[in-house]
Amino acid sequence: MKKLGLLVRLEAKAGKEKDVEAFITSALPLANEEAGTITWYAFRIDASTFGIFDTFSDEEGREAHLGGKIAKALMENAPELLATAPSIEKLDVLAAK
């Protein structure tokens, strides 16, 4: 059951929009390797704003994701790709289909 989630908002530096899009879409195979990650979405909000939304059945899965390969790669590449630090919000899933 999807009980917990993460909402990550990413603001690309000017001229780095395609690089941010490529970076987040290339993370799908890593997300597929994570047993505790139930769903994982990468999306675009506008020309320079992107996001990632994931769901987990428990805190252990969410924390494993936050300490995993995607998060590590994001933090390593953030200074080059992002205009601001990633906004990472923990949330509770109240209903899901």
Side-chain angles (χ1 to χ4, degrees):
M1 181 174 168
K2 304 167 193 158
K3 296 184 347 184
L4 304 173
L6 288 172
L7 180 61
V8 180
R9 191 175 174 113
L10 308 168
E11 186 66 36
K13 283 185 177 178
K16 295 290 185 176
E17 297 85 358
K18 289 189 185 298
D19 295 330
V20 172
E21 180 178 345
F23 174 80
I24 63 173
T25 57
S26 72
L28 179 58
L30 296 175
N32 284 333
E33 293 176 5
E34 297 178 349
T37 302
I38 298 172
T39 59
W40 184 91
Y41 303 90
F43 57 90
R44 177 193 303 269
I45 297 171
D46 60 32
S48 63
T49 309
F50 299 85
I52 298 170
F53 174 70
D54 357 60
T55 62
F56 313 90
S57 60
D58 55 32
E59 189 62 38
E60 182 178 280
R62 181 162 63 181
E63 290 302 317
H65 179 73
L66 284 170
K69 293 177 183 177
I70 296 171
K72 182 179 178 188
L74 176 60
M75 298 316 285
E76 287 174 356
N77 288 282
E80 177 190 340
L81 298 176
L82 305 179
T84 60
S87 168
I88 302 172
E89 298 178 85
K90 291 183 177 181
L91 54 92
D92 295 328
V93 176
L94 301 178
K97 178 179 176 183

